[in-house]
């Protein structure tokens, strides 16, 4: 389960908590029930977020040297920060992603998506295959983020390559050769971030002005560029793929009887791009009646919690608006709950509203394929065509 936590083959009868050894023999306490996942997320004193960005495959010395050569460091900033600096850093990031600023991007995004959809509809009408990941979803979140947060002047492709390399380096089972390659990729872009953190305006300047060290500024930009765009493009791809198999939902959208916002929530519940998230036990404690030793890695199975029958009436069915649909934990909960939730929802709503009609009558030529990863789905493509 650990590296394919969304797979259909995952055994239905999981206990509430279970110890599972990973590929290098480290035990993790996997938590499956909604109530227990929530309990952990709501108590950052007992269950700290410090391990959120730890590499699941220990990074060997050779790759560490490559990273060190780029002065790579990821000090506690956002997701992995249980120190007193967290609220202030989070506050500055939240300001940049304020719902008012997010809402102001909606008309621009709608125009861009509409333009792309028109082009893609033409290609589909002509019988051509269309990759909805590459040609629609992949870069949208980064383009929006760049309008909200001042970012280094780097080509979109370079940022995407860096972000995907980081998700693989820290969350995938890997061999040493691959780790070296990824370390070089991540390190290279880290240098770009470090230069930008020293001089950049906007969010970087606000963090500097608040007295945060250059490492913290780099760490915040790193996390935003990875989690703040890659997650959403993954989600858009997975949601569109899911909707190809949900003709009734698409008919409801067309007829106006199904709300776009409800489709987005049901999508987050059933197809979360982040399937697990980690915490570490700070003290000896118990969870769901099981003793947990201090230092235990806890894997919160967010995807499974979204399908908990105690929370949702029809856990595996895509029924927008059903009772419990919005109670998913796709964005986490508590002090570290996703700051970009509003932004991700806005982007998904625009894409569903504009692009769902594209899916009518298509056949899936190539469903999204997702590599082994503890946390992120990372679909690589999603190709459809109209027969
Ligand atoms: C569908 C898309 C997204 C999903 C599913 C998602 C999910 C998550 C999850 C599970 C966490 C950890 C929460 C916890 O520890 O309780 C998180 C944290 C975070 N996310 Fe997202 N996220 C998404 C999009 C975004 C976007 C668009 C941004 C910003 C541009 C963003 C920025 C952040 C930040 C800054 C944190 C760390 C918050 C903190 O520790 O205080 N995320 N996200």
């Amino acid at each position: 389960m650990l590296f394919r936590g969304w797979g259909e083959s995952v055994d239905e009868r999981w206990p509430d908590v279970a110890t599972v050894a990973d590929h290098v023999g480290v035990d993790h306490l996997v938590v499956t029930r909604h109530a227990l996942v929530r309990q952990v997320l709501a108590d950052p004193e007992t269950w700290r977020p410090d391990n959120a960005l730890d590499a699941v495959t220990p990074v060997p010395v050779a790759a560490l040297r490559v990273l060190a050569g780029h002065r790579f460091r990821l000090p506690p900033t956002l997701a992995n920060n249980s120190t007193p600096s967290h609220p202030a850093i989070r506050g500055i990031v939240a300001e940049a992603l304020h719902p008012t600023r997010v809402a102001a991007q909606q008309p621009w995004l709608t125009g861009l998506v509409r333009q792309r959809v028109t082009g893609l509809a033409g290609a589909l009408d002509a019988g051509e295959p269309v990759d909805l990941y590459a040609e629609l979803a992949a870069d949208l979140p980064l383009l929006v983020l760049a309008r909200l947060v001042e970012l280094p002047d780097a080509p979109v492709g370079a940022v995407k390559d860096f972000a995907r390399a980081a998700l693989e380096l820290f969350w995938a089972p890997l061999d040493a050769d691959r780790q070296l390659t990824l370390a070089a990729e991540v390190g290279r872009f880290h240098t770009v971030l470090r230069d930008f953190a020293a001089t950049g305006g906007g969010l970087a300047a606000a963090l500097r002005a608040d007295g945060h060290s250059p490492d913290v500024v780099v760490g915040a930009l790193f996390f935003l560029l990875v989690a703040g765009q890659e997650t959403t493009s993954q989600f858009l791809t997975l949601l569109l793929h899911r909707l190809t198999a949900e003709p009734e939902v698409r008919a409801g959208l067309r007829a106006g009887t199904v709300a776009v916002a409800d489709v987005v929530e049901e999508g987050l519940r059933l197809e979360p791009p982040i399937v697990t998230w980690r915490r570490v036990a700070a003290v000896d404690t118990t969870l769901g009646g099981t003793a947990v030793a201090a230092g235990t890695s806890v894997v919160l199975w967010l995807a499974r919690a979204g399908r908990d029958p105690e929370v949702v009436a029809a856990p595996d069915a895509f029924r927008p608006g059903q009772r419990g649909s919005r109670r998913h934990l796709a964005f986490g909960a508590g002090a570290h709950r996703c700051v970009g939730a509003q932004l991700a929802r806005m982007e998904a709503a625009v894409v569903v509203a504009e692009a769902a009609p594209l899916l009518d009558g298509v056949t899936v030529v190539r469903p999204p394929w997702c590599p082994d990863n503890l946390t992120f789905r990372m679909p690589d493509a999603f190709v459809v065509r109209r027969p």
Side-chain angles (χ1 to χ4, degrees), residues 35-310:
L36 294 178
V37 172
R38 230 199 133 73
Q39 180 186 330
V40 170
L41 289 169
D43 179 1
E45 301 298 318
T46 309
W47 312 98
R48 292 226 182 106
D50 306 21
N51 62 343
L53 311 183
D54 287 358
V56 71
T57 307
V59 183
V61 173
L64 283 176
R65 274 206 201 104
V66 171
L67 290 171
H70 290 283
R71 291 195 295 144
F72 180 91
R73 283 187 289 275
L74 269 190
T77 47
L78 288 158
N80 61 344
N81 189 356
S82 58
T83 77
S85 68
H86 175 252
I89 300 170
R90 182 181 164 95
I92 291 169
V93 174
E95 196 54 42
L97 303 174
H98 191 277
T100 315
R101 303 191 74 223
V102 168
Q105 294 306 322
Q106 187 165 356
W108 173 83
L109 182 63
T110 303
L112 175 62
V113 174
R114 200 166 283 173
Q115 195 186 341
R116 286 189 182 182
V117 165
T118 304
L120 295 173
L124 287 171
D125 288 346
E128 293 166 20
V130 160
D131 184 342
L132 291 174
Y133 169 69
E135 293 169 58
L136 179 61
D139 62 346
L140 283 180
L142 179 57
L143 297 178
V144 181
L145 187 62
R147 291 169 62 91
L148 288 166
V149 176
E150 212 170 300
L151 297 174
D153 188 16
V156 168
V159 178
K160 297 293 289 183
D161 287 349
F162 147 72
R164 290 176 76 88
L167 298 189
E168 198 181 333
L169 181 61
F170 295 113
W171 284 279
L174 297 167
D175 63 33
D177 282 349
R178 186 70 185 148
Q179 283 171 306
L180 260 186
T181 307
L182 295 169
E185 174 86 42
V186 169
R188 244 192 328 271
F189 202 82
H190 200 263
T191 306
V192 175
L193 287 183
R194 187 164 288 283
D195 292 345
F196 179 78
T199 54
L203 178 71
L207 287 166
R208 285 197 310 270
D210 203 42
H212 298 289
S213 72
D215 279 354
V216 165
V217 183
V218 177
L221 289 168
F222 178 94
F223 193 75
L224 270 187
L225 273 179
V226 172
Q229 56 87 21
E230 198 53 40
T231 44
T232 315
S233 56
Q234 294 175 20
F235 176 54
L236 300 177
T237 308
L238 297 167
L239 179 54
L240 289 174
H241 177 241
R242 177 75 189 224
L243 288 176
T244 55
E246 304 290 347
E248 283 176 28
V249 175
R250 296 203 314 275
L253 282 168
R254 231 178 0 255
T257 52
V258 167
V260 168
D262 289 343
V263 172
V264 172
E265 292 313 313
E266 194 69 336
L268 286 163
R269 183 179 77 75
L270 283 165
E271 303 290 347
I274 294 185
V275 285
T276 72
W277 201 248
R278 280 175 292 174
R279 289 287 194 266
V280 57
V283 291
D284 290 344
T285 182
T286 59
L287 186 65
T290 299
V292 185
T296 301
S297 161
V298 179
V299 171
L300 303 170
W301 198 350
L302 305 179
R304 178 54 65 111
R307 293 176 187 228
D308 190 328
E310 298 215 340

